[in-house]
Amino acid sequence: MAVPKRKMSRASTRMRRSQWKAEAATLVKSVDASGKVTYSLPHRAKVVEDSAGTPLFMEYKGRKVADV
């Protein structure tokens, strides 16, 4: 395991940590046959709802993967 040779100062530590920045999630736009536009995260399961808006199950690549 690596062990630092000298103590890192508080200022140096905080300066290094301040360089980290979160990235915005990339959304994928998809249009249904009815013309409804939805945005989703790529490679994530999406929730399938009935006409009333009640969640039924989760789907990924056209296959049911989990119940809600």
Side-chain angles (χ1 to χ4, degrees):
M1 186 172 117
V3 179
K5 197 163 196 172
R6 299 200 188 281
K7 181 177 180 178
M8 194 171 194
S9 72
R10 197 178 294 161
S12 295
T13 302
R14 290 177 178 166
M15 188 177 296
R16 176 177 44 82
R17 288 181 182 161
S18 70
Q19 300 304 312
W20 181 86
K21 293 172 183 64
E23 296 178 4
T26 53
L27 297 176
V28 176
K29 179 181 176 181
S30 59
V31 181
D32 295 343
S34 61
K36 181 181 175 185
V37 177
T38 57
Y39 294 94
S40 62
L41 293 168
H43 302 289
R44 305 275 172 95
K46 67 176 184 176
V47 177
V48 177
E49 300 173 340
D50 62 358
S51 59
T54 308
L56 300 173
F57 57 89
M58 297 189 79
E59 176 183 69
Y60 182 72
K61 291 187 178 180
R63 286 180 258 154
K64 180 180 174 182
V65 293
D67 291 323
V68 176

